[in-house]
């Protein structure tokens, strides 16, 4: 497919941008649905405000994270920070390219901390809500990567492979949409009925996501300019190991804290 969905007043609108907007709307809709269905103590106005804060944090974290971790022109951007969100190249509108999921997570955490501190909210309650709402939106994000012909898969000869960059490749973006989005959503959707303490869902998300991402990275082309980092693992897999360790620590810490309170 053509990465450009349509042109408006001479500006190309990419499928990825459309999918990104849909991802945000779906995540917000899911959050409002679960607030109402599970009778969470979060008002509609607070939820709208929270998502605004989070979106700013995610965009900043994702873009800056990509520049620091993946972009070969890191020094240029750090010395010319006004270019970080410049959507024009040589006068041509190309949009903002290059976002890091792990950078987005860090930006999201910082935004959530600041929001809950300012408005005196239970941070774990919000994080659990995000854990079950984001995976649905994530599906659209990865479909956007697929339509935009980016984050391409490794070369293959399987019958369902797609032609990208001149060769048959795994549709790794769709693998990620299913495993990192749909599968995680289904697991957390049903597990929430057995939730024992606030923060359990976000801790489980921080454990499940890196597992799914680690698997999908075996079918995804290593990042350009970085390749395999160590022991035949990609940067995404290295970061996933770190995230898994953090998620496991968070789950154990929250569970032990809950146990001590009951003792």
């Amino acid at each position: 497919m053509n990465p450009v969905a349509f042109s408006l007043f001479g500006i190309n609108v990419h499928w990825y941008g459309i999918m990104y907007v849909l991802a945000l709307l779906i995540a917000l809709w899911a959050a409002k649905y679960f607030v109402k269905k599970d009778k969470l103590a979060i008002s509609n106005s607070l939820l709208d405000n929270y998502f605004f804060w989070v979106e700013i944090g995610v965009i900043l974290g994702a873009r800056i994270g990509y520049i620091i971790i993946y972009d070969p022109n890191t020094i240029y951007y750090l010395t010319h920070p006004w270019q970080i969100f410049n959507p024009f190249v040589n006068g041509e509108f190309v949009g903002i390219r290059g976002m890091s999921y792990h950078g987005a997570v860090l930006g999201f955490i910082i935004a959530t901390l600041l929001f809950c501190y300012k408005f005196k909210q239970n941070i774990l309650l919000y994080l659990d809500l995000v854990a079950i709402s984001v995976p649905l939106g994530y599906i659209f994000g990865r479909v956007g990567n697929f339509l935009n012909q980016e984050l391409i898969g490794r070369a293959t000869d399987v019958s369902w492979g797609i032609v990208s960059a001149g060769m048959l490749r795994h549709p790794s973006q769709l693998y990620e949409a299913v495993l990192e989005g749909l599968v995680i959503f289904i697991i957390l959707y049903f597990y929430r009925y057995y939730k024992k303490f606030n923060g359990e869902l976000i801790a489980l998300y921080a454990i499940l996501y890196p597992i799914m991402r680690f698997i999908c990275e075996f079918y995804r082309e290593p990042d350009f300019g970085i390749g395999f980092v160590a022991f035949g693992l990609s940067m995404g897999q290295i970061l996933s190991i770190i995230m898994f360790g953090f998620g496991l620590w968070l789950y154990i810490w929250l569970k032990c804290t809950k146990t001590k309170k009951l003792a």
Side-chain angles (χ1 to χ4, degrees):
M1 291 186 64
N2 189 336
V4 178
F6 58 88
S7 294
L8 187 64
F9 303 114
I11 297 178
N12 291 331
V13 179
H14 290 72
W15 282 110
Y16 180 75
I18 295 174
M19 290 299 161
Y20 191 86
V21 172
L22 284 176
L24 293 176
L25 294 177
I26 291 295
L28 180 57
W29 170 84
K32 292 189 174 186
Y33 170 81
F34 287 116
V35 164
K36 184 177 180 180
K37 182 176 178 60
D38 296 345
K39 299 178 180 178
L40 302 179
I42 301 175
S43 69
N44 196 55
S45 59
L46 267 177
L47 186 59
D48 288 337
N49 197 8
Y50 172 62
F51 261 74
F52 175 77
W53 280 60
V54 164
E55 181 53 25
I56 297 299
V58 166
I59 292 176
L60 289 174
R63 183 64 180 141
I64 295 173
Y66 177 85
I67 287 172
I68 294 175
I69 300 171
Y70 299 107
D71 201 292
N73 302 305
T74 301
I75 301 300
Y76 170 79
Y77 282 111
L78 292 180
T79 54
H80 300 75
W82 57 89
Q83 293 291 343
I84 291 177
F85 289 97
N86 181 9
F88 294 91
V89 175
N90 297 324
E92 179 184 357
F93 181 86
V94 297
I96 299 172
R97 299 179 178 179
M99 296 286 189
S100 164
Y101 172 82
H102 296 92
V105 169
L106 183 58
F108 153 74
I109 292 174
I110 294 174
T112 300
L113 286 169
L114 293 174
F115 175 86
C116 291
Y117 176 78
K118 178 177 176 60
F119 295 99
K120 297 179 174 57
Q121 297 294 299
N122 184 338
I123 187 172
L124 295 179
L125 185 64
Y126 278 80
L127 289 177
D128 278 349
L129 179 61
V130 168
I132 196 171
S133 304
V134 164
L136 275 181
Y138 194 82
I139 296 173
F140 288 87
R142 286 310 186 194
V143 171
N145 292 142
F146 176 76
L147 296 176
N148 211 39
Q149 299 179 35
E150 59 188 4
L151 307 182
I152 57 178
R154 300 187 191 184
T156 183
D157 58 0
V158 296
S159 59
W160 60 86
I162 60 169
V163 176
S164 182
M167 64 177 65
L168 195 66
R169 297 177 180 275
H170 282 286
S172 58
Q173 309 96 324
L174 301 184
Y175 298 169
E176 293 191 67
V178 173
L179 289 180
E180 300 166 14
L182 181 61
V183 172
I184 291 180
F185 171 76
I186 292 173
I187 292 174
L188 294 181
Y189 177 87
F190 288 105
Y191 188 84
R192 84 184 200 281
Y193 293 113
Y194 306 96
K195 174 182 167 182
K196 305 175 188 65
F197 51 86
N198 283 335
E200 186 173 14
L201 295 184
I202 193 64
L204 287 175
Y205 178 84
I207 291 172
L208 290 171
Y209 175 84
I211 292 175
M212 301 304 180
R213 176 68 179 269
F214 191 90
I215 294 171
C216 290
E217 284 283 331
F218 285 114
Y219 303 96
R220 175 173 158 176
E221 190 73 16
D223 299 284
F224 177 77
I226 296 179
F228 296 105
V229 179
F231 307 107
L233 301 178
S234 66
M235 177 61 78
Q237 289 174 315
I238 297 296
L239 295 175
S240 292
I241 292 174
I242 296 173
M243 184 177 178
F244 176 83
F246 171 77
L248 191 60
W249 169 83
L250 180 62
Y251 186 90
I252 295 173
W253 181 74
L254 289 173
K255 186 174 183 180
C256 290
T257 303
K258 174 68 174 179
T259 302
K260 286 180 180 179
K261 288 182 178 180
L262 293 175

